[in-house]
Amino acid sequence: MNPCIVYLAQNSKRDPQYGRDSRTLMEKSLDLLYKNYNDQFKHPIIIFHEGDFEKKDQVEVVSGRSEITFHEIHFSIPKFLSKAEIPEIWNGQFGMGHRHMIRFYGLQIFDLLEGLGYDWFFRMDDDSFFHSKINYNLFEYMQGNGFEYGYRVDIKEPLSSSYGFSDSISAYLKAEKITPYTFYDNFENAEETQKADLSVYGSVKKTLIKTINWVADKLNYEVYQWPATSEWNRWGYYNNFFITNIKFWKQPEVQSLLNYFDRVGGAYKYRWNDLILQTVVVQIFLSPKKVHKFTDWTYEHATIKENKLIWGGIYEGTDDSNSKAVTEFKSQYGKIKIDQSY
């Protein structure tokens, strides 16, 4: 086993997405990572960046911790996509850098790390924080228990960045005659799903969709297990922390789906992100027995804008009751997480 920990970082005191101090957040994330985990296990840490960390910056971040190295990469829109079809800023908020990040964690990271000789990794963001002690090797725990994908938090992705996504994935599965493990188990009743946005679907379209799905169910369900419902429920793995075996992602059938998704261009055109892509890949190709949700340690990933919590939050571990970090977070923001039940 040759594992590592991965960051994709920018050396910015005010990032263009949320106006936050990315550099300081990353240094805090690294400090907590070492305090609560890596001081004990000494895993290699790779910080991917686009050349904005100069040598002096790298020395400051490393701060004597020899496990940390920097790896420069450069992003561009794939040549097979038409730049004319891709908005510079999606939905008035998400720039090109954000969508490059989606492609990085949805596709590119597996080839990069395999090329560097690694076989397992876990991801951390600059605002991912371990708030309680983890006294066991996460990689050995995963491998020893036969898990291939692990996460800490599940979350419901907004509908606005998921339109058409599950239809695209379902079309691929039907065309390739793939029977997924649990993907179709995560479809909601069409009528309940559409109550949330009648302006998009409309009553006539609702009836049509129900009729089409009824026919598809009668004709095809026993053969390919196509769902009789219309919308994937968008619950997924909050993958600002995830841990996985790279070998799983390099399987031909997994690579085929990832590259299909890449050629569709949904990450750039519609902000179909790495969270929903990773989630459906796991639901399609992995038995639930190989997926693990960690619950024992306290973890924070919160999107803060103008000192307000707008997404995510802090998640108290079952072995870390009465967490000081949770108390302080609630005192500052008035809640510990955003409700994702819609």
Side-chain angles (χ1 to χ4, degrees):
M1 177 183 277
N2 189 25
C4 67
I5 300 166
V6 168
Y7 285 82
L8 177 60
Q10 52 186 331
N11 187 21
S12 171
K13 290 292 185 180
R14 185 174 176 82
D15 80 73
Q17 194 70 56
Y18 297 107
R20 62 192 179 190
D21 184 345
S22 298
R23 166 72 179 268
T24 299
L25 285 171
M26 185 185 71
E27 291 174 340
K28 176 183 176 181
S29 175
L30 285 166
D31 288 345
L32 286 169
L33 174 63
Y34 268 88
K35 174 185 176 182
N36 289 317
Y37 182 74
N38 215 42
D39 272 338
Q40 181 175 353
F41 297 105
K42 303 294 184 183
H43 299 311
I45 298 173
I46 306 172
I47 298 176
F48 290 96
H49 66 106
E50 291 189 87
D52 51 335
F53 284 90
E54 298 180 359
K55 288 296 182 183
K56 65 178 182 62
D57 300 308
Q58 296 182 23
V59 170
E60 290 169 359
V61 171
V62 170
S63 188
R65 297 170 293 201
S66 61
E67 298 81 19
I68 301 174
T69 59
F70 285 76
H71 190 98
E72 185 172 337
I73 53 173
H74 295 282
F75 297 121
S76 62
I77 297 171
K79 292 181 179 179
F80 53 77
L81 297 179
S82 170
K83 291 184 180 180
E85 298 176 6
I86 299 170
E88 278 295 321
I89 300 179
W90 183 85
N91 204 28
Q93 182 179 7
F94 295 97
M96 204 64 71
H98 175 84
R99 284 168 287 161
H100 288 323
M101 178 275 296
I102 292 173
R103 188 170 189 245
F104 178 78
Y105 279 120
L107 177 69
Q108 296 172 297
I109 185 66
F110 310 111
D111 287 341
L112 277 168
L113 291 181
E114 184 183 55
L116 293 170
Y118 296 103
D119 53 7
W120 282 81
F121 74 99
F122 72 72
R123 169 187 175 177
M124 296 288 283
D125 281 1
D126 56 19
D127 52 354
S128 297
F129 305 132
F130 286 174
H131 281 298
S132 57
K133 201 79 172 175
I134 304 173
N135 289 314
Y136 57 96
N137 185 313
L138 292 172
F139 297 107
E140 290 181 356
Y141 178 85
M142 291 287 292
Q143 187 175 67
N145 287 282
F147 300 129
E148 295 194 55
Y149 188 89
Y151 65 101
R152 176 63 185 85
V153 176
D154 47 4
I155 200 166
K156 191 170 188 177
E157 185 67 12
L159 184 60
S160 61
S161 57
S162 305
Y163 285 126
F165 172 75
S166 63
D167 300 297
S168 176
I169 297 295
S170 294
Y172 178 86
L173 296 180
K174 292 174 184 177
E176 296 290 331
K177 296 181 174 59
I178 295 172
T179 300
Y181 276 98
T182 60
F183 176 60
Y184 289 148
D185 296 340
N186 292 283
F187 275 62
E188 293 179 337
N189 179 277
E191 187 171 345
E192 291 301 312
T193 300
Q194 292 156 10
K195 280 179 182 178
D197 200 345
L198 293 179
S199 64
V200 174
Y201 293 101
S203 59
V204 174
K205 192 169 184 179
K206 277 205 311 179
T207 302
L208 179 61
I209 287 172
K210 289 173 69 176
T211 302
I212 290 171
N213 283 320
W214 182 85
V215 173
D217 179 48
K218 295 299 180 184
L219 294 178
N220 300 296
Y221 185 80
E222 289 185 359
V223 179
Y224 300 125
Q225 298 184 19
W226 296 0
T229 50
S230 69
E231 276 296 323
W232 183 58
N233 62 18
R234 309 190 314 278
W235 277 103
Y237 312 120
Y238 201 26
N239 69 332
N240 34 73
F241 168 85
F242 71 93
I243 180 170
T244 195
N245 181 353
I246 294 172
K247 184 178 179 181
F248 163 71
W249 298 91
K250 294 296 293 181
Q251 295 177 94
E253 61 269 31
V254 174
Q255 283 289 302
S256 180
L257 176 54
L258 293 179
N259 281 284
Y260 162 80
F261 177 86
D262 196 39
R263 291 190 298 272
V264 168
Y268 286 100
K269 294 180 182 180
Y270 317 121
R271 197 186 159 249
W272 293 348
N273 64 26
D274 49 298
L275 184 159
I276 57 178
L277 176 60
Q278 282 193 8
T279 297
V280 300
V281 169
V282 170
Q283 290 177 354
I284 291 165
F285 294 112
L286 264 185
S287 163
K289 294 179 181 179
K290 294 181 179 292
V291 182
H292 179 66
K293 180 178 180 178
F294 293 93
T295 59
D296 50 314
W297 35 271
T298 299
Y299 174 72
E300 176 188 342
H301 187 277
T303 302
I304 308 296
K305 193 168 185 177
E306 297 176 354
N307 205 38
K308 292 183 180 179
L309 175 63
I310 63 173
W311 195 247
I314 189 167
Y315 306 86
E316 188 170 72
T318 54
D319 292 347
D320 188 32
S321 58
N322 301 313
S323 166
K324 180 181 177 182
V326 172
T327 301
E328 291 176 349
F329 189 96
K330 186 175 183 180
S331 176
Q332 182 168 1
Y333 301 113
K335 59 183 76 173
I336 61 171
K337 62 182 178 179
I338 294 294
D339 178 22
Q340 289 105 19
S341 61
Y342 64 89

